[in-house]
Amino acid sequence: MFITLEGPDGSGKTTQIRLLYDALVAAECDVLLTREPGGTAIGDQIRTVLHDIENSDIVPETEILLYSASRAQLVGQVIRPALAAGTIVLCDRYADSTMAYQGYGRGLNLEALTAITDFATGGLKPDLTLFLDLEPEIGLTRRKTSGQEWNRMDRQTLDFYRLTRRGYHTLAEMEPERWVSIDASGSITEVAAAVWATVQRRLNLQGQSPCG
Ligand code: TMP
């Protein structure tokens, strides 16, 4: 089972995926938590380049290729071997971020992005994508007050975030069996309960009974 979390900046993905990981460990599941960009030594180096505020002159094509290079490394080195071993893989962002941010947000050619993504991942798609949906204004306010690292991608305009969110909605509509949208405006506990209920249903976990 390959599960990804998607959503705008400030939607609480990173907190929620950690809580989901803890819940799966408590249910005795064999689970691995990783993230994009990054998740490998090479990917973390690429993440540093992508997030560096000094790199504001990066051209869109370079940006997409760097995200894709990080993804290719993560899929080859971490995700495919883990899935082959029967491990549940949780990933904080994946290829849908490229379609939403570079495709719908920056307006890059969607067919080209799909081809690059297929090449990078060998066509590996998540079984379940949880989308933490939030108004961009709320996400940005949360980001500014969170005390977390402020990176190059946080410098986008509100219009960019609106296009990105609309892109996510379009992607979810195209593959409704893979996507589950969760309202991320609630408290951490409320959102975590919705995430856990969805994953329990998909994994067929009953109450406290363990995995497998
Ligand atoms: P994060 O740590 O919040 O996930 O930050 C990653 C940033 O990179 C976030 O603004 C989304 C962006 N991003 C893309 O633009 N394209 C991608 O393919 C990925 C994985 C992330």
Side-chain angles (χ1 to χ4, degrees), residues 103-117:
Y104 292 96
R106 296 231 191 281
L108 290 190
N109 183 286
L110 295 174
E111 279 177 23
L113 292 191
T114 304
I116 292 167
T117 298

Side-chain angles (χ1 to χ4, degrees), residues 9 36 47 51 67 71 93 97-98 101-102 153:
D9 298 81
E36 275 206 19
R47 182 183 179 93
H51 280 192
Y67 279 119
R71 182 166 306 133
R93 296 196 183 280
S97 284
T98 292
Y101 281 76
Q102 280 66 49
M153 289 304 286

Side-chain angles (χ1 to χ4, degrees), residues 6-10 13-14 35-38 47 50-51 63-64 66-68 70-71 92-102 106 143 148-149 151-154 156 160-161 164 168:
E6 293 286 348
D9 298 81
K13 273 180 310 82
T14 307
R35 69 165 179 187
E36 275 206 19
R47 182 183 179 93
L50 280 165
H51 280 192
E63 183 178 69
I64 156 75
L66 286 173
Y67 279 119
S68 302
S70 169
R71 182 166 306 133
D92 186 346
R93 296 196 183 280
Y94 187 61
D96 297 302
S97 284
T98 292
M99 297 308 278
Y101 281 76
Q102 280 66 49
R106 296 231 191 281
R143 283 285 294 147
Q148 288 169 351
E149 167 220 44
N151 65 55
R152 189 183 56 85
M153 289 304 286
D154 290 309
Q156 312 304 318
F160 172 82
Y161 288 115
T164 301
Y168 271 129

Side-chain angles (χ1 to χ4, degrees), residues 26-62:
E28 298 178 28
C29 298
D30 180 11
V31 57
L32 178 132
L33 172 59
T34 189
R35 69 165 179 187
E36 275 206 19
T40 63
I42 291 170
D44 285 338
Q45 292 172 64
I46 296 171
R47 182 183 179 93
T48 304
V49 174
L50 280 165
H51 280 192
D52 191 342
I53 289 177
E54 297 292 317
N55 290 336
S56 57
D57 54 355
I58 197 164
V59 299
E61 289 77 9
T62 306

